[in-house]
Amino acid sequence: MEIFYSKDIDGDICRLDTDESTHCIKVLRHRTGDDISVIDGTGNLMKCRLVSDSPKKAEARILETVHGWGRHPYRLHLAVSPTKNNDRYEWFAEKACEIGVDTIIPIISEHSERRIFKTGRIAKILVSAAKQSLKGAVPEILEPVTVRDFILSNEITSGPDSGIRPLKLIAYCFEDGSHPRISIKEALNGACRPDGQDSDLLQDICIMIGPEGDFSQEEARLAYGEGFIPVHLGTSRLRTETAAVTAAEAVYFHYM
Amino acid sequence: MEIFYSKDIDGDICRLDTDESTHCIKVLRHRTGDDISVIDGTGNLMKCRLVSDSPKKAEARILETVHGWGRHPYRLHLAVSPTKNNDRYEWFAEKACEIGVDTIIPIISEHSERRIFKTGRIAKILVSAAKQSLKGAVPEILEPVTVRDFILSNEITSGPDSGIRPLKLIAYCFEDGSHPRISIKEALNGACRPDGQDSDLLQDICIMIGPEGDFSQEEARLAYGEGFIPVHLGTSRLRTETAAVTAAEAVYFHYM
C-alpha cells in the first residue's frame, strides 16, 4: 500500500509537494482519476482521487477521511541525548516511529559529547517511516534543549493533550540510595492500565535516555525533584539508541 | 570497561590475535604487567595479566575466570530472512546481541529477494557488540538455509542444549482460520515461566521472522505442522529488521 504525505489541504482538495508529486506521477505513473491514499501527518488517512497529475504539483479530491489511522493507544515522548554518530540517532528515530512514538526531544546532557544537533534529516526520516509503517501521524522532532531546561519545562512533561497525569521516567544507570530504581516494566505496570483505553484520554508517558556517559548526578537529582521515576532497562548494557528503542518497545508491549 | 576477545586459550595463557593485540598494545598502550579483561565468546570473562605486550601477538595469564558473564536467562534463536539492504540486517544483529540472542539464522524464503547472504561481516559485528555490551558469549551467526530446510532441521528447533521443550514461534502477518494467531506476549506468557530460572536448564525459544513479502502460505503451513505457533508482533507494521529486534525485546521483557 503506497502512502503519500501532504500538509497542503484546502477544503476537500489536497496538494502534493514537488517530491511527492514526482513520486506519485513520474515514478508510480498515477494519472488523473486514480485513487491514492494520503496522510496529513496529524493522524488522518485521506482516501483521495487524483484531479491533476502534474508531476510538480499533483492535486487530489478527498473522498473519505479516516481519523487516528494506525494510532497507538498512548502518547509517548522520548527525550534522548544525541549519539556521537548521527546515523545511530536517525536509526532510533525510524525504529521508534515504526513501533510507536509521538515526540522525540534531543536533550543535551552535561555529559553529551555532541552539543549541536540538526533535526532536518530526522524530520524527513520520520515522514518516510510513518508512511512505511502505515501511521497517519508523523512523530514530531523538537529542537534540542538542555536536560535541565527539558526537565523544568512543562510543555511535554505535564502532558498537554491528556487529562491524565503523565508518567515521567528517567533511565539512569547508577543506583541512588534515596531513589531506588525499578524496571521500566514495573513502572509501567504500576502506573498505566493497558486495558480500557479511552481514545479521548491517552496516557502521556515521557522517558529520558541519557548519553554514553549517562546523566550527571545533578541532572538525575533535578529529574527526581520534578517527579521523574528512575528506572532501569534490564540487565543488558545498551547503547543510547538501543536503550531508546527498548524504552519504546517496553511501552509497546505494555499496551499489547 | 575495555573488553578483549580471544579464542586462543592454552591452559592459563590466552593469546590475542593481531587485531586485538594492536588495539590492546598500540591503541590502548597496555604493557606487560597490566591487567586486562578478555572474553572467550562462549560465556566466560577472563581476568588476565599481560605477560607479553607484542603488538602482533599479545599474551596474558588468566588470573580468574567468570562463567556465564552477562548471560541472559534463556536461549534465543532468531531465524530471520535477509533484508534487501545488508545494513539493516547488520543493524538487527548488533541490536539483538545487545538485548540478548544466542543464534541468528538467515533463512531464505520463497519470497526472499536476496537469496545469497554473506555472514562474515555479521560475525565481526557480533564480536564487537558482545564486547561493547559486556557479554561473555558471542551470538552465533549460522550459514543461510532455506525456510523449508530450517523448519525441518532439528538442530536448533529441538533445543539441543536444554532438557526443556523449546518454544517455537513464527511471526506471520496473515490470519489462517485453522491457526489463529496470538500475540508474541501471550505466547511467551503461556509457555515460559520467567521466574525460577535454573541456570542448567534454560528455555530454548526459536522465532522465525519472514522477508518483506512475508512467508509463503506453504512455508507457514509447514511451520505449523512442525509445531511452530503463529504469533503477531502487535498492531504496528514493522520492517523485517524491526520485527526481529521487537521479537528479541519481547523475550527480554518477558524475563525482565
Side-chain angles (χ1 to χ4, degrees), chain A:
Chain A
M1 180 180 188
E2 186 66 36
I3 307 290
F4 300 95
Y5 172 67
S6 169
K7 296 202 80 59
D8 184 356
I9 292 144
D10 182 358
D12 68 342
I13 291 296
C14 94
R15 301 186 187 85
L16 303 185
D17 67 15
T18 313
D19 290 355
E20 293 284 295
S21 296
T22 305
H23 187 61
C24 179
I25 308 303
K26 284 204 164 161
V27 180
L28 299 172
R29 299 165 180 277
H30 280 300
R31 291 292 171 258
T32 297
D34 288 359
D35 287 351
I36 61 170
S37 297
V38 183
I39 58 169
D40 66 358
T42 70
N44 301 312
L45 172 75
M46 298 166 293
K47 297 179 176 171
C48 308
R49 183 157 298 157
L50 276 172
V51 291
S52 156
D53 52 19
S54 151
K56 286 277 175 65
K57 195 161 199 186
E59 285 189 8
R61 171 162 287 105
I62 301 167
L63 307 174
E64 184 195 345
T65 299
V66 182
H67 302 288
W69 188 64
R71 81 183 288 178
H72 40 274
Y74 51 85
R75 286 180 47 78
L76 178 59
H77 315 287
L78 291 172
V80 181
S81 293
T83 50
K84 277 190 220 166
N85 173 339
N86 266 340
D87 295 355
R88 294 183 173 276
Y89 206 94
E90 292 171 2
W91 163 76
F92 139 68
E94 177 184 288
K95 297 316 169 195
C97 178
E98 285 181 55
I99 297 155
V101 67
D102 297 90
T103 325
I104 293 173
I105 310 99
I107 49 171
I108 311 299
S109 160
E110 289 172 19
H111 293 170
S112 289
E113 289 199 15
R114 177 186 297 276
R115 310 194 74 80
I116 292 159
F117 187 81
K118 303 235 177 300
T119 59
R121 264 180 63 90
I122 303 268
K124 286 195 176 68
I125 285 164
L126 290 172
V127 169
S128 312
K131 288 161 61 179
Q132 196 276 337
S133 60
L134 309 184
K135 296 177 190 297
V138 175
E140 193 178 6
I141 171 87
L142 303 186
E143 286 305 309
V145 288
T146 65
V147 166
R148 181 182 176 76
D149 289 350
F150 175 74
I151 292 169
L152 297 176
S153 76
N154 287 315
E155 201 185 322
I156 296 286
T157 55
S158 61
D161 293 13
S162 90
I164 314 171
R165 192 149 156 278
L167 176 64
K168 304 195 290 185
L169 307 176
I170 177 169
Y172 191 48
C173 298
F174 304 108
E175 276 296 352
D176 171 342
S178 58
H179 296 85
R181 299 178 307 161
I182 56 176
S183 76
I184 188 168
K185 189 177 170 183
E186 293 172 280
L188 289 164
N189 288 339
C192 313
R193 292 184 56 237
D195 56 329
Q197 292 306 315
D198 178 333
S199 58
D200 300 332
L201 278 182
L202 296 183
Q203 170 74 55
D204 276 275
I205 300 164
C206 177
I207 307 173
M208 291 174 66
I209 305 287
E212 205 173 293
D214 209 347
F215 295 108
S216 70
Q217 277 200 16
E218 294 63 32
E219 290 170 331
R221 293 216 187 90
L222 184 65
Y224 303 157
E226 292 297 317
F228 281 81
I229 301 164
V231 295
H232 66 75
L233 301 176
T235 53
S236 291
R237 183 173 89 159
L238 307 172
R239 287 174 174 274
T240 293
E241 74 277 9
T242 319
V245 165
T246 298
E249 299 269 19
V251 177
Y252 181 64
F253 284 116
H254 179 73
Y255 286 94
M256 184 178 278

Side-chain angles (χ1 to χ4, degrees), chain B residues 103-160:
Chain B
T103 325
I104 293 173
I105 310 100
I107 49 172
I108 311 299
S109 161
E110 289 172 19
H111 293 171
S112 288
E113 289 198 14
R114 177 185 297 277
R115 310 193 74 79
I116 291 159
F117 186 80
K118 302 233 177 303
T119 59
R121 263 180 63 89
I122 303 268
K124 286 196 177 67
I125 286 165
L126 290 172
V127 170
S128 312
K131 288 160 62 178
Q132 196 276 336
S133 59
L134 308 184
K135 296 176 189 298
V138 175
E140 194 178 6
I141 171 87
L142 303 186
E143 286 306 308
V145 288
T146 64
V147 166
R148 181 182 175 77
D149 289 350
F150 175 74
I151 292 170
L152 296 176
S153 75
N154 288 314
E155 201 184 323
I156 296 284
T157 55
S158 61

